[in-house]
Amino acid sequence: MTTPTPQQAEDLLSQVESNQAQARSSDAWPLVTMLFVYSAAISVGILAVGLIEDNTIQLIILGAGGAWLVPALIVYSVKALSWSRRSTVLLCTWLPLTFVALFTAIIVDSFTPTSWVPFAAAGFLWVLSPIMALVGLRR
């Protein structure tokens, strides 16, 4: 085995950095897709809470929206190659914001059924999702 020249070492190092950047970028897509699907499903459930008066139907629609998390997690676990710090931060930021919006909408709707808060919470998720996706995909 021979010692690489400085130019060969520099070329190898740039190739490794390029491969790492490409891997990080491709790892972000499954997480962003999962969180987009989950945010969309939860926001539809929040709209159901705001629009429908019957609690049973609200829970059915909210549960149907939450059920989308299962296929999203399956797709993510199959397609994602590894967890990065950025993916963990994104997940640990996005999910709590989603749950805060969901629980705020449900609690306020239970006290004041004609409130605008469920619509604002769903709108918050619709605005937040693309912003967080851009943050997650930025490398």
Side-chain angles (χ1 to χ4, degrees):
M1 182 168 153
T2 63
T3 304
T5 66
Q7 180 61 36
Q8 289 174 329
E10 188 176 310
D11 291 342
L12 286 172
L13 186 59
S14 67
Q15 183 179 7
V16 167
E17 289 173 355
S18 172
N19 288 342
Q20 286 177 337
Q22 184 180 9
R24 283 192 307 267
S25 176
S26 64
D27 281 353
W29 276 105
L31 177 64
V32 167
T33 303
M34 178 190 76
L35 293 175
F36 249 129
V37 167
Y38 186 64
S39 295
I42 291 299
S43 63
V44 168
I46 290 173
L47 281 178
V49 166
L51 291 174
I52 300 171
E53 297 296 324
D54 184 16
N55 288 339
T56 305
I57 295 173
Q58 286 178 353
L59 288 175
I60 289 170
I61 293 174
L62 194 60
W68 277 93
L69 181 61
V70 174
L73 282 172
I74 290 170
V75 167
Y76 177 71
S77 62
V78 169
K79 294 293 182 183
L81 301 176
S82 66
W83 280 95
S84 67
R85 280 177 283 170
R86 177 170 287 194
S87 296
T88 303
V89 169
L90 182 65
L91 186 64
C92 291
T93 303
W94 199 324
L95 288 180
L97 289 173
T98 303
F99 286 125
V100 166
L102 173 66
F103 292 133
T104 301
I106 289 173
I107 290 169
V108 170
D109 187 68
S110 66
F111 291 118
T112 312
T114 58
S115 176
W116 54 269
V117 173
F119 304 109
F124 171 74
L125 290 178
W126 289 338
V127 170
L128 179 72
S129 293
I131 292 169
M132 295 295 284
L134 290 173
V135 169
L137 293 175
R138 186 180 66 86
R139 296 291 175 183

